[in-house]
């Protein structure tokens, strides 16, 4: 295909994505075009008659094939927005989801002192730790993950976004050396038999799935967390709403259940 205009490529790619079952077909086509042609959506839509040069066209065609195969657009572009910031992501880490932003919203409401300590368990690309440090800059933030590759990406994101975070390797809380005022975690909580989008086939299984109806790691963290939380400490977890009843049952009497909203559970340590 040569001599293709911006409008033609957008139309053809949108049709291809629609046929592949992608609900955000036109938007995804525009995102790929923004990246390849180095112009924003408004410019692209206003210059539909422009011919796409051969080199960026070849790259766009390759990107479009990948997306039509249901590869997540974040892995194609290498980045994902979270809480208004751009984060580097690779197939070694889970792609940040919009629903996880509620965890940050609730974190910002917690009545803890400015110098409170926070640990992000299973940090992945670092979005929660980095966003927490950015939104509540007086917090002393640490983050851990079992994957050294994920920690490399998280460190890269922290440096890019100017946050001072101590990262360390740990299987849940095993590597933690002191207590915290807040522990947050978006652990794997998807059960293998749940219905899910084809895009998740590209994400690391280690960061997505857990046994025991998706609750294995969540339950282990709840059980271990009291020994790593200060008096009146908080534990914030992401989970599926269908898991909330089981989480409440496990959490008591170690925690008071403060809130279950969206995909977030807020627990307060019982002292």
């Amino acid at each position: 295909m040569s001599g293709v205009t911006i409008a033609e490529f957008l139309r053809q790619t949108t049709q291809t994505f629609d046929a592949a079952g992608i609900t955000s077909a036109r938007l995804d086509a525009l995102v790929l075009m923004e990246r390849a042609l180095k112009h924003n959506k408004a410019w692209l839509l206003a210059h539909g008659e422009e011919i796409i040069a051969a080199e960026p066209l070849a790259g766009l065609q390759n990107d479009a094939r990948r997306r039509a195969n249901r590869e997540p657009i974040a892995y194609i572009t290498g980045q994902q927005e979270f809480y208004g910031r751009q984060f580097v992501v690779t197939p070694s880490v889970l792609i940040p989801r919009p629903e996880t932003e509620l965890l940050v919203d609730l974190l910002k409401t917690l009545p803890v002192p400015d110098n409170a300590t926070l640990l992000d368990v299973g940090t992945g690309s670092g979005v929660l730790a980095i966003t927490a440090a950015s939104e509540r800059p007086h917090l002393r933030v640490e983050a851990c993950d079992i994957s050294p590759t994920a920690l490399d990406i998280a460190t890269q994101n922290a440096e890019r976004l100017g946050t001072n975070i101590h990262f360390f390797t740990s299987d849940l809380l095993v590597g933690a050396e002191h207590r915290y005022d807040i522990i947050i975690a978006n652990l794997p909580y998807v059960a293998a038999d749940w219905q899910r989008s084809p895009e998740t086939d590209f994400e690391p299984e280690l960061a997505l799935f857990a046994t025991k109806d998706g609750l294995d790691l969540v339950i282990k963290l709840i059980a271990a967390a009291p020994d790593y939380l200060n008096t009146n400490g908080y534990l914030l977890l992401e989970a599926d709403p269908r898991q909330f009843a089981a989480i409440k049952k496990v959490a008591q009497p170690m925690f008071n259940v403060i809130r279950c909203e969206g995909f977030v559970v807020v627990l307060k340590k019982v002292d």
Side-chain angles (χ1 to χ4, degrees):
M1 185 167 66
S2 60
V4 179
T5 66
I6 288 172
E8 287 169 341
F9 185 87
L10 176 59
R11 177 180 55 80
Q12 293 168 2
T13 304
T14 300
Q15 290 175 348
T16 298
F17 289 175
D18 272 331
I22 297 170
T23 56
S24 54
R26 191 167 186 270
L27 175 60
D28 286 6
L30 282 167
V31 168
L32 295 179
M33 293 172 74
E34 279 187 309
R35 174 172 172 262
L37 302 180
K38 314 237 183 300
H39 288 291
N40 63 29
K41 297 180 186 70
W43 189 97
L44 293 170
L45 294 173
H47 295 80
E49 75 287 353
E50 296 265 354
I51 299 292
I52 303 174
E55 185 174 346
L57 179 60
L60 271 170
Q61 290 170 331
N62 182 61
D63 289 346
R65 282 191 291 269
R66 293 170 65 185
R67 184 65 187 115
N69 194 39
R70 303 302 293 268
E71 182 174 351
I73 200 160
Y75 289 158
I76 299 171
T77 63
Q79 61 181 10
Q80 176 70 22
E81 182 179 329
F82 182 82
Y83 222 82
R85 299 174 180 88
Q86 289 291 341
F87 290 83
V88 172
V89 294
T90 76
S92 297
V93 295
L94 195 72
I95 298 168
R97 268 56 167 186
E99 56 264 28
T100 306
E101 294 189 353
L102 177 62
L103 195 151
V104 180
D105 291 338
L106 296 179
L107 167 66
K108 290 163 65 176
T109 69
L110 297 182
V112 294
D114 283 343
N115 64 346
T117 53
L118 178 147
L119 175 64
D120 176 24
V121 179
T123 193
S125 61
V127 294
L128 281 176
I130 293 165
T131 305
S134 300
E135 295 294 319
R136 297 193 69 166
H138 296 293
L139 287 175
R140 291 178 289 162
V141 179
E142 298 184 9
C144 62
D145 202 287
I146 196 172
S147 166
T149 305
L151 288 174
D152 287 343
I153 296 166
T155 301
Q156 179 183 345
N157 279 320
E159 291 173 351
R160 286 179 60 255
L161 292 167
T163 50
N164 182 23
I165 296 170
H166 170 58
F167 293 101
F168 61 95
T169 305
S170 181
D171 183 359
L172 295 180
L173 294 168
V174 171
E177 296 181 349
H178 56 86
R179 292 175 180 257
Y180 301 87
D181 297 299
I182 308 167
I183 295 175
I184 60 176
N186 180 12
L187 297 173
Y189 62 83
V190 175
D193 59 350
W194 286 2
Q195 185 176 0
R196 51 195 173 84
S197 73
E199 281 79 0
T200 59
D201 290 338
F202 292 84
E203 296 188 90
E205 292 186 5
L206 182 68
L208 195 63
F209 298 108
T211 58
K212 299 180 181 177
D213 295 324
L215 283 171
D216 183 39
L217 295 176
V218 170
I219 289 172
K220 287 178 179 176
L221 180 62
I222 292 171
D227 290 337
Y228 293 88
L229 280 170
N230 289 324
T231 301
N232 296 319
Y234 291 91
L235 175 62
L236 280 67
L237 302 165
E238 180 165 332
D240 190 278
R242 73 191 97 172
Q243 298 168 324
F244 285 176
I247 289 172
K248 289 178 184 179
K249 183 176 181 180
V250 169
Q252 297 169 335
M254 298 177 287
F255 292 94
N256 289 320
V257 179
I258 304 300
R259 203 159 180 176
C260 292
E261 181 179 341
F263 283 76
V264 182
V265 178
V266 181
L267 306 173
K268 186 176 183 181
K269 181 182 174 183
V270 174
D271 292 301

